[in-house]
Amino acid sequence: MNNTMTISKEKRRSRIITTLIYIFLVILAIIYIVPILWVVITSLKNDSTLMLSPWAMPEHIEWGNYAFAWTKGHLGTAMLNSFIVCSITLIVSMVFGSMAAFAIARLRWKLSKLAMYYFLIGMMIPIHTILIPLFVQFSQWHLSNTLTGIIVPYITFSLPITIYIMVGFFEGIPNELFESACIDGCSVYKMFTMVALPLAKTGFMVTGLMSFVANWNELLVAMVFISNDAKKTLPVSLTKFVGPYHTNYCQMFAAIMIAIIPTIIAYVAFANQIVEGLTAGAVKG
Amino acid sequence: MDKLMRNKKAIILFIAPALILFTAVLFIPVCKAVYYSLCNYKINYQPKYIGFKNYVMLFTKDKTMAIAFKNSIFFMIFSIVTQLIFGLILAALLTNIKKGRNLFKNIYYLPCVLSSAALGLLWMFVFMPRLGINQMMASLGWIEDCTMGPEWLFNTDGFIILPIWVISFVALWQYVGQSMMLYMAQISGISMDIYEASYIDGCSKKQSFFYITLPLIKPMVATAMSLNAIGSLKFFDLIYNMIPEGFLSHKADVIATHLYTQAFKFSKLGYGSAIGVILLILCLIMTVIINKFVKTESYDM
Amino acid sequence: MKMRKILAGILSMAMTAGLLAGCGGAAPADTAAPAADTGAATEEAAAPATDGDVQEISFMIWDDLEASEDLITKGYKESVDRFNADFAGKYHCTPITTNLEEYYDKLNALVAAGDTPDVFIASPGANLNDYAMTGVAAKLDDYLDADGWKQTFTSDAVFAGGTYGDEGGDGPGIYAIPLNIAAACVFYNTEMFEDAGAAVPKTFSELLDTCQKLQDKGYTPITISAGTAWCLSMVAGYLCDRNGLNLQDIKDHKTDWKDEKVIKAGEQLQELSQYFQKTAAGDDNDVATAAFYNGEAAILIQGSWAIGQINGSCAEGFADKVGVFAFPAVDGSSADPNRVIAKSDSLCMSAATQYPDAAIQLIKYFVDDTASKYTAEIGGKIPVTSVQYDESIAPPELKYVMDVFKNASSTFGFYNESLADTEAGSTFDNCFVEIFKGEDPETALDPIEDYYEMNVWE
């Protein structure tokens, strides 16, 4: 009798605690979602109604704000540029990175450990430090104001993490697989393409995701290297469109929406994979 | 097999592209940055060697640098402490609920993948006197009208000014999801057997959190801490977009924005390089400290 | 072993160069980018021109020619379009656009890269110095003298901002062609003034009285932006000048920034600041000027480019309510109260241009009769050439500004653009923002004093 009483008391207490936890989590979720919802709502208003009641729902939906931001704000161009830059960076850094990782993890040479440390040091160097020398150098090479001029540093900064993660994956492949490939008469290049690469798919997903997200959102390098409106990437176009021109707020909100919508869509579709992938990458880093 | 794997040509071919790119675009520029930092180098002129003058100037005369340094260190401490606390709390809460864990997790993680530039602008609008929070406070009757509310992004009183606090919280909002996920990943890696054993020994959930979970995730604390420390030292996007250029007379500058202004607004490439070198040294120091400090402790137990 | 290492080192360097060069040429990025590529433009320009070739020149400007709602910018776009149409098949101009905030950074980047735009816009003062004194901008006297071009301008005085002595990169001469003149004036809402029984002030104490009357009537007397520092700095510049400060004396270190005239200007700014809108510290220029255009505030101290905005985007009939007066004199000061802050957009030609003829022709299109008429009648700025424009079409404010300008004994530049360099200008702006926020002028001026101590007076 006494025993059951305490159990039900315990149960009630834990139920209250669970409810409190949920209330806390929901409030927090609201803090995360409301600002973004506010942007959505405001981006569909016009300025005159915005100033009167910034938090009210729009009376007439103004799609024109989006059209303005897309064309006059150069966000359409910018999105294309961002996509080109991120895709090329992704591919090149994966190819170069996995090749180097294979050499470090599988090939036998004296300096492989040293090479690994060399790349690892790169992870600690903030891009700010090399911004000025790169700016000077790329100016002389006529790479400033071209997309190539930002792709090259992006690849370089994606390399260390790519190599580090891929080394982990390649080292995890059982030696027997390579030995049997060797008996089958595979060359070392075939071993890389036929044995190592197919077994490191997860590694590619993780590193690819990290590099794409980081470069899609990168502002500083792109801002320093790109002068021409036609070459700007998304974060730069957004910054430079919203900053000085904000006489029409609703159009600015539409611009912000355009900038984050692709990421949100991708995120909603693949949230679990993205979160797990990025976390796996960060854990390893 | 062994012979195959010692193929010199293959080794060079595999390692060369990454190595060369890395050396040319990262390593050589770092050396150059160190050299430029010892020069008087204005854009469109030739660099002129002046020894440590830039550094002397930075540390003794440059008031904005002092402010930027103070703000950056504050950001770093704030983000290390708050991310640790909130990240752990969220991770602990989320591992303990059954329904909706994924949903909440994904919501809190969302800002991590969004562009800081866009989010910075979003929050700038939220804190604008005539537009966001102050308007809401006014319509709720908390303040007389929107111009009377707190000057979120414009008040420059106090040792750590209000805009810095505001931006710190926005950064916490954006990145706490990452810390949370790191801790969750580690917690979910802990074998259930240990917990079950502890419950049999009469441990409460709270006790098991402090005596089992915390000690076991210590290595991850080191990882998360160094990510936070370096991330907050490099902090640029949010602040650049939340405080318009030239506002607040550089009182809300951090090291990265100071570098940007000096090098690319005022064309002082040598001086900017000196700031960059200091930032590099800070990052290295922090990585070493955190890894030494937190990791060795975890070996002790 | 050592030998091999060295060899490997040399090999890797060579490969790097090859790789990067390969990237530059092969990356599809360049071709995929939809609009004009300046890199490609210069490459094209570098090829020797034969008869049938179109001479391609670039023109860099600080506003987006397509999206801007600024009437002056729209006029610039028209000039470029006319140039391209009239010289189709012979010359072609591709604009490079950025926005004002980043304009000089980006121009510097192109100059550093050896890709200086053939024609670029600049403000006389510290910014122009960077180009005129380093040989980036070409000396233009020969072109001006060639076919009586110089005589189309109202006077030689309009070239003052672009004229350099021996310090000019290519010797003494003119390095920039002015396009128009904007004068900083006080715009006021005549309705509010009438309602408050306020008169147009002639002196600073009258200005304070006027503001008090407006405030008693419930109006916001002055709208200004301390967030966008140059707006406040315009007032600070006027106050310094009206108190008799001579910038040359400061430059020559005959006096310093702690001069009592500067301190006095600071104190007067603090007096005046009680009449600013409450959010002045946080408002940027757009927000502050909007408050005047929306009829929330009675006075706006602004450059005459405001006319273009009043004309372009304000409610119908608002333009008729706007009056203009010159910044008042300071009581008891012996300084000339008729000096006016003026600023002219000026064009420079790159000293390295392949096609000087095309570049000069383009510049001429910016100051020909069509363009100058537009400047006055629609843009509301003061034209630099002696063009006949229709005063009845031109915005009424232009006439008031012209009156102020004609009465001016002499002009001076924006303070932040007239100091030793851009950083000095920005430091000056920030000092006065601090003063506005209530810091004692004596200590608030430390940064600019220190800056001159370290960088200018040596």
Side-chain angles (χ1 to χ4, degrees):
Chain A
M1 181 71 189
N2 203 357
N3 210 5
T4 49
M5 275 274 287
T6 43
I7 284 172
S8 72
K9 224 177 170 182
E10 279 267 285
K11 249 190 182 166
R12 236 179 52 207
R13 234 191 76 193
S14 92
R15 201 174 292 158
I16 290 172
I17 288 176
T18 316
T19 322
L20 283 177
I21 290 178
Y22 272 108
I23 290 174
F24 173 76
L25 292 176
V26 168
I27 290 175
L28 201 62
I30 289 174
I31 296 177
Y32 272 83
I33 291 176
V34 163
I36 294 171
L37 272 185
W38 183 55
V39 182
V40 176
I41 294 168
T42 312
S43 69
L44 296 168
K45 289 187 186 176
N46 63 44
D47 253 30
S48 51
T49 55
L50 171 69
M51 280 303 181
L52 295 174
S53 49
W55 294 84
M57 294 300 280
E59 287 163 26
H60 306 285
I61 290 190
E62 296 265 352
W63 293 110
N65 293 333
Y66 281 85
F68 183 89
W70 182 261
T71 53
K72 299 285 171 102
H74 303 287
L75 291 183
T77 320
M79 200 177 284
L80 181 69
N81 288 339
S82 270
F83 189 76
I84 293 168
V85 167
C86 291
S87 309
I88 295 179
T89 304
L90 178 81
I91 295 167
V92 178
S93 69
M94 275 188 176
V95 172
F96 285 10
S98 59
M99 277 161 61
F102 185 73
I104 289 171
R106 282 291 162 184
L107 299 182
R108 305 211 178 128
W109 45 302
K110 273 186 208 146
L111 299 173
S112 69
K113 263 256 160 64
L114 198 69
M116 187 71 205
Y117 284 127
Y118 184 58
F119 285 120
L120 282 185
I121 289 173
M123 280 207 271
M124 288 181 228
I125 296 174
I127 200 155
H128 312 59
T129 307
I130 62 159
L131 207 53
I132 294 164
L134 275 189
F135 173 77
V136 174
Q137 188 65 76
F138 281 16
S139 292
Q140 287 162 5
W141 286 346
H142 296 276
L143 282 180
S144 57
N145 215 6
T146 65
L147 294 184
T148 318
I150 54 176
I151 290 173
V152 173
Y154 283 179
I155 294 174
T156 313
F157 272 84
S158 302
L159 273 180
I161 188 80
T162 310
I163 292 175
Y164 187 65
I165 291 176
M166 294 311 288
V167 163
F169 274 94
F170 289 148
E171 276 176 348
I173 299 172
N175 214 12
E176 292 79 42
L177 286 176
F178 288 104
E179 273 166 10
S180 65
C182 178
I183 291 161
D184 289 346
C186 271
S187 70
V188 66
Y189 309 104
K190 273 243 165 97
M191 281 189 194
F192 175 61
T193 51
M194 310 299 283
V195 182
L197 288 189
L199 286 171
K201 267 189 199 144
T202 327
F204 280 121
M205 205 206 93
V206 169
T207 53
L209 203 58
M210 290 189 84
S211 130
F212 204 92
V213 169
N215 294 327
W216 184 266
N217 295 335
E218 207 284 335
L219 173 69
L220 184 59
V221 172
M223 201 160 72
V224 168
F225 282 91
I226 304 290
S227 311
N228 198 337
D229 279 342
K231 298 285 183 59
K232 284 177 178 165
T233 56
L234 208 45
V236 190
S237 272
L238 181 70
T239 301
K240 293 304 177 190
F241 177 59
V242 173
Y245 291 96
H246 59 66
T247 34
N248 190 332
Y249 293 103
C250 296
Q251 289 165 354
M252 304 307 143
F253 281 83
I256 295 178
M257 267 329 282
I258 291 177
I260 59 177
I261 275 176
T263 325
I264 291 186
I265 292 175
Y267 188 78
V268 168
F270 304 106
N272 286 331
Q273 289 91 322
I274 292 176
V275 176
E276 304 296 337
L278 288 178
T279 308
V283 171
K284 299 233 167 64
Chain B
M1 170 80 180
D2 194 49
K3 204 180 148 208
L4 211 57
M5 292 307 200
R6 286 184 192 281
N7 181 343
K8 284 251 154 61
K9 214 175 99 194
I11 292 170
I12 290 175
L13 204 73
F14 274 113
I15 198 87
L19 198 66
I20 290 165
L21 199 64
F22 199 76
T23 308
V25 183
L26 201 77
F27 200 73
I28 294 176
V30 169
C31 301
K32 270 193 183 165
V34 174
Y35 169 65
Y36 288 161
S37 75
L38 302 173
C39 290
N40 180 9
Y41 186 11
K42 276 205 92 170
I43 198 166
N44 301 340
Y45 295 87
Q46 286 302 312
K48 210 172 79 204
Y49 182 79
I50 52 162
F52 285 92
K53 264 192 190 158
N54 282 332
Y55 291 96
V56 173
M57 183 106 151
L58 264 177
F59 284 115
T60 58
K61 295 274 187 181
D62 189 342
K63 284 181 186 155
T64 312
M65 182 64 190
I67 294 171
F69 200 80
K70 175 188 77 184
N71 286 339
S72 278
I73 298 293
F74 170 78
F75 264 127
M76 191 181 70
I77 296 172
F78 181 92
S79 98
I80 289 179
V81 173
T82 55
Q83 298 257 1
L84 179 69
I85 296 173
F86 284 95
L88 270 177
I89 291 178
L90 283 179
L93 290 183
L94 283 184
T95 42
N96 276 312
I97 62 165
K98 290 191 185 73
K99 274 188 196 146
R101 185 195 294 174
N102 252 337
L103 180 70
F104 284 118
K105 186 183 83 183
N106 291 346
I107 290 176
Y108 303 151
Y109 195 81
L110 173 66
C112 292
V113 298
L114 295 181
S115 127
S116 309
L119 293 179
L121 293 166
L122 190 170
W123 284 102
M124 177 193 79
F125 286 127
V126 168
F127 288 110
M128 237 183 189
R130 288 159 191 273
L131 214 56
I133 285 195
N134 283 6
Q135 273 282 6
M136 193 160 78
M137 285 164 77
S139 60
L140 290 172
W142 294 356
I143 49 175
E144 215 173 295
D145 71 87
C146 61
T147 58
M148 301 295 286
E151 296 169 303
W152 298 108
L153 293 177
F154 307 113
N155 193 309
T156 51
D157 300 333
F159 182 67
I160 300 295
I161 61 176
L162 185 59
I164 295 294
W165 283 100
V166 169
I167 293 168
S168 303
F169 275 101
V170 172
L172 174 66
W173 173 87
Q174 193 185 355
Y175 291 114
V176 77
Q178 188 180 30
S179 305
M180 171 194 81
M181 279 307 299
L182 289 176
Y183 296 133
M184 273 178 83
Q186 191 78 355
I187 291 174
S188 64
I190 300 172
S191 150
M192 274 321 276
D193 300 349
I194 306 181
Y195 286 106
E196 268 155 27
S198 76
Y199 296 147
I200 291 167
D201 287 350
C203 251
S204 72
K205 272 203 164 168
K206 207 162 70 188
Q207 281 171 321
S208 71
F209 177 76
F210 282 104
Y211 293 113
I212 299 173
T213 316
L214 269 192
L216 281 175
I217 62 171
K218 240 182 188 168
M220 188 55 83
V221 172
T223 309
M225 269 186 165
S226 44
L227 276 178
N228 288 334
I230 291 177
S232 48
L233 281 175
K234 293 197 283 194
F235 205 58
F236 178 81
D237 301 13
L238 266 186
I239 216 161
Y240 185 80
N241 278 314
M242 284 181 75
I243 312 278
E245 186 92 40
F247 270 51
L248 304 186
S249 320
H250 299 293
K251 282 199 173 152
D253 265 12
V254 289
I255 295 177
T257 52
H258 189 44
L259 185 155
Y260 183 79
T261 324
Q262 289 294 324
F264 299 104
K265 283 274 157 222
F266 300 139
S267 311
K268 287 152 74 180
L269 299 182
Y271 198 68
S273 297
I275 303 174
V277 170
I278 288 174
L279 187 64
L280 172 66
I281 293 171
L282 272 179
C283 284
L284 293 179
I285 292 177
M286 281 321 293
T287 319
V288 172
I289 289 181
I290 290 173
N291 282 304
K292 272 259 151 60
F293 181 66
V294 187
K295 273 211 174 129
T296 45
E297 237 182 40
S298 73
Y299 284 123
D300 287 342
M301 44 155 306
Chain C
M1 191 62 203
K2 217 175 188 181
M3 191 65 199
R4 194 180 294 164
K5 264 187 198 161
I6 294 168
L7 258 174
I10 294 170
L11 187 76
S12 55
M13 288 315 285
M15 279 180 73
T16 312
L19 178 82
L20 289 170
C23 271
D30 289 346
T31 44
D37 178 350
T38 50
T42 37
E43 267 165 41
E44 219 170 273
T50 53
D51 283 338
D53 278 355
V54 175
Q55 298 189 356
E56 175 70 45
I57 55 171
S58 54
F59 160 60
M60 183 143 166
I61 182 169
W62 48 43
D63 203 348
D64 187 330
L65 291 181
E66 303 297 329
S68 179
E69 287 174 20
D70 184 281
L71 291 172
I72 286 289
T73 304
K74 286 185 172 174
Y76 293 160
K77 179 179 159 45
E78 270 181 31
S79 295
V80 173
D81 288 347
R82 277 192 299 126
F83 172 81
N84 281 338
D86 291 355
F87 291 99
K90 191 174 177 206
Y91 304 145
H92 185 261
C93 164
T94 310
I96 307 171
T97 60
T98 70
N99 57 51
L100 187 57
E101 272 69 15
E102 53 168 2
Y103 176 73
Y104 290 106
D105 321 348
K106 296 307 179 191
L107 181 56
N108 282 333
L110 289 176
V111 170
D115 289 333
T116 313
D118 298 286
V119 178
F120 57 90
I121 200 160
S123 283
N127 289 312
L128 184 58
N129 292 352
D130 284 348
Y131 309 112
M133 286 158 65
T134 54
V136 172
K139 197 170 93 169
L140 301 169
D141 295 71
D142 292 347
Y143 303 101
L144 277 164
D145 296 335
D147 46 3
W149 187 20
K150 202 172 181 182
Q151 277 72 55
T152 63
F153 291 86
T154 42
S155 72
D156 285 356
V158 297
F159 294 107
T163 305
Y164 288 81
D166 290 327
E167 72 277 11
D170 198 19
I174 296 170
Y175 286 81
I177 308 288
L179 304 183
N180 47 47
I181 302 167
C185 302
V186 187
F187 293 80
Y188 69 104
N189 187 317
T190 49
E191 270 186 7
M192 291 183 188
F193 267 54
E194 258 171 50
D195 187 36
V200 168
K202 287 262 181 273
T203 64
F204 187 72
S205 56
E206 284 177 30
L207 178 64
L208 294 176
D209 281 348
T210 303
C211 290
Q212 188 59 48
K213 280 182 188 158
L214 288 161
Q215 197 166 50
D216 293 344
K217 267 282 176 183
Y219 297 117
T220 302
I222 299 175
T223 179
I224 196 166
S225 159
T228 309
W230 58 260
C231 300
L232 192 71
S233 140
M234 196 154 50
V235 179
Y238 261 130
L239 287 171
C240 288
D241 196 74
R242 293 287 189 264
N243 278 300
L245 183 74
N246 184 341
L247 279 181
Q248 193 60 39
D249 287 350
I250 287 194
K251 198 178 171 199
D252 301 341
H253 209 174
K254 282 182 196 147
T255 180
D256 55 29
W257 286 104
K258 297 297 179 70
D259 190 302
E260 58 173 2
K261 291 163 184 163
V262 187
I263 305 278
K264 187 122 185 279
E267 287 162 0
Q268 284 164 339
L269 181 73
Q270 284 176 339
E271 269 180 87
L272 193 62
S273 68
Q274 56 180 313
Y275 300 112
F276 295 171
Q277 83 276 28
K278 275 183 241 154
T279 50
D283 289 346
D284 62 13
N285 183 36
D286 288 326
V287 175
T289 48
F292 178 73
Y293 302 151
N294 299 339
E296 288 168 30
I299 295 175
L300 172 72
I301 301 165
Q302 188 64 285
S304 54
W305 53 81
I307 297 173
Q309 293 166 352
I310 294 170
N311 212 21
S313 52
C314 282
E316 197 71 27
F318 180 76
D320 302 328
K321 285 191 251 173
V322 178
V324 180
F325 59 87
F327 196 88
V330 162
D331 315 69
S333 161
S334 59
D336 180 356
N338 290 321
R339 278 160 58 80
V340 170
I341 293 184
K343 173 178 174 134
S344 53
D345 298 349
S346 298
L347 287 186
C348 296
M349 181 176 84
S350 163
T353 180
Q354 297 277 322
Y355 303 120
D357 294 340
I360 290 296
Q361 199 61 55
L362 177 68
I363 299 177
K364 282 185 176 169
Y365 266 64
F366 277 88
V367 283
D368 65 5
D369 282 358
T370 322
S372 296
K373 260 183 144 161
Y374 179 97
T375 303
E377 289 172 3
I378 298 172
K381 279 199 186 182
I382 304 162
V384 286
T385 61
S386 19
V387 67
Q388 287 300 315
Y389 65 90
D390 190 345
E391 285 187 26
S392 65
I393 311 176
E397 296 81 13
L398 178 65
K399 196 179 162 305
Y400 309 144
V401 173
M402 285 294 275
D403 289 343
V404 169
F405 196 69
K406 275 179 194 146
N407 288 330
S409 51
S410 59
T411 63
F412 61 106
F414 276 72
Y415 261 42
N416 55 357
E417 290 180 349
S418 312
L419 303 187
D421 55 36
T422 42
E423 190 173 3
S426 156
T427 312
F428 172 84
D429 287 354
N430 291 338
C431 289
F432 272 86
V433 170
E434 291 311 311
I435 292 174
F436 152 73
K437 284 185 175 163
E439 198 178 328
D440 180 28
E442 191 77 47
T443 53
L445 287 163
D446 282 339
I448 184 76
E449 180 78 4
D450 288 349
Y451 186 84
Y452 267 64
E453 205 73 67
M454 278 185 292
N455 298 290
V456 185
W457 305 320
E458 277 172 83

